Amino acid sequence: MPWERAGRPWAFAVGDAGMSTAEYAVGTLAACALAAVLYKVVTSGAVSAALQGLIGRALNAPF
């Protein structure tokens, strides 16, 4: 009964006991996959050359 759950918000989630753990696992895997893709993009030749050029221009900029 709803009046028996007063003051116990966790009592409403009894049917979804493992759901949050599974969601955290899927979210962690998705974050790792995105990090791997971004790492591959940033370490690729074209992006690496562009970043090195940008940093080189910034360090050699006249004040």
Side-chain angles (χ1 to χ4, degrees), residues 1-12:
M1 301 280 172
W3 59 85
E4 294 173 353
R5 296 181 186 158
R8 296 182 299 152
W10 63 88
F12 290 104

Side-chain angles (χ1 to χ4, degrees), residues 14-38:
V14 172
D16 294 333
M19 196 64 165
S20 62
T21 303
E23 289 171 355
Y24 282 126
V26 171
T28 301
L29 287 175
C32 289
L34 179 62
V37 169
L38 287 176

